Amino acid sequence: MNSPKVSVIIPTYNRAHIISATLDSILNQIYQNWECIIVDDGSNDGTENIINKYLKHDNRFKFYRRPSNRLKGANACRNYGIENSCGAYIMFLDSDDICESFCLEERVKIVTSDLSIDLLIRDGAFFIDDVKQSFSFNKDPEIKNNENYLRMFLSHNTPWQTTAVLYKKSNIRNCQFDEKLKRFQDLSFNITVLSQPERIKIHRDFKIDYYYRDDKQKVFSPNFISNMYESFVVFHQVHINLFENKIYEGDFRRFNCKIIYQFVMPYFYQNKKASNQFLFWTISSDMYSFSQKWTLIVLLFVLNINLYRIKGIGMYQFRNKIKSFEN
C-alpha cells in the first residue's frame, strides 16, 4: 500500500473549451499510480475529440459514456465512474477544475502514513479569471469531529467541496450520489458517507492543492430555483431518517432559511411559479412554529402582490426575520 492506485473520476458535459486544463493538471501529477476516469454526459460540442487526444497519449485515461438507462447528470456519471474504478482511493474532480502537481503525491503520502484514515480533507481555493486565489474556501467547526461536520452539511454550511477529499474506496462502497438530485448532490453524498453506521476516520490537512471555478451566473438560469425546489424535496426524502431526528431539526431549518433569503426572495420574479411552490411546501412542513409560519405566509402575500418590488417595503425586515429563524 505504499503507492496505491488513485482513481480520479471526472464527469463532463460540453467542456471542449476548458477540459484540457483539467486533464493537463492530472497528466502533470508527480504521483504516477493513478487512473483518470472520464464519464461523458452526452456532449455535442467536440468534448470527446479533446478527450481522445489524451486517451492516445496516456492509457491511464479511461473514457466512458453515461449509459442511456441512467438518469442524465453528473451524479450518474460519478456513480458509473466509481463502478468502473479499480483504485484503492477515489478523488472526484469537476471538468473545469485543476489540481496542483503535488496533489496526489501529498495526499497519498498522508493516507499511507496512517492506513486507518478513511477520508483525507485538504483545502481548495477559487480559480477566477485564470488566477489562483491564495485563500481557502473550506470551513471547519470549532470542534473538528464527524458529528459537527455532518451538521454543517445538513445546514448547507458546506465545510468542503467533494474534490477536497481523498476517499478510501472500501469505505464508500455502500454510498452513491443520488441520481434524482439536480442540486445539493455533493451535500447529499457527504451526508451519506458521514452518517454510515460504522464510524469513519477523518484526517484534516490544511494545504490548498486544487482550484475550483465558481459559476456565479448559474443563479440567473431560468431553471435554477425550480431545480433547487425539486432537489430540496428529494433531499428531504433521501435523508428523512436524519430530519426526523430532533437533534438535526434546527440544521435542516437553517438550510431551508438560507434558500429563502439567498435565492427565493432575490429571484422571486424570475422564478415566480417555482418560488411559490417552494414557499407553500415550506409552510406546510413541520420545520417552523405557528408564528414563524405566519411570517412566511405574509412574505408570500407581499411577494405576490408586488409590494416587494417597492423600495423600502419589507426586504430588509423579512430577511432579518427569517435569518432569526435559524437560531
Side-chain angles (χ1 to χ4, degrees), residues 225 229 264 268 271-283 299-301 303-304:
I225 294 296
Y229 164 73
V264 176
F268 180 82
N271 304 273
K272 188 172 182 178
K273 181 179 178 180
S275 297
N276 277 319
Q277 287 180 314
F278 184 82
L279 288 171
F280 276 121
W281 184 90
T282 296
I283 292 167
L299 171 64
L300 185 65
F301 174 74
L303 287 170
N304 278 281

Side-chain angles (χ1 to χ4, degrees), residues 236 246 249 253 281-289 293:
H236 178 266
K246 292 294 184 182
E249 189 176 70
R253 186 170 60 251
W281 184 90
T282 296
I283 292 167
S284 65
S285 74
D286 296 326
M287 281 181 287
Y288 295 94
S289 68
K293 287 186 178 183

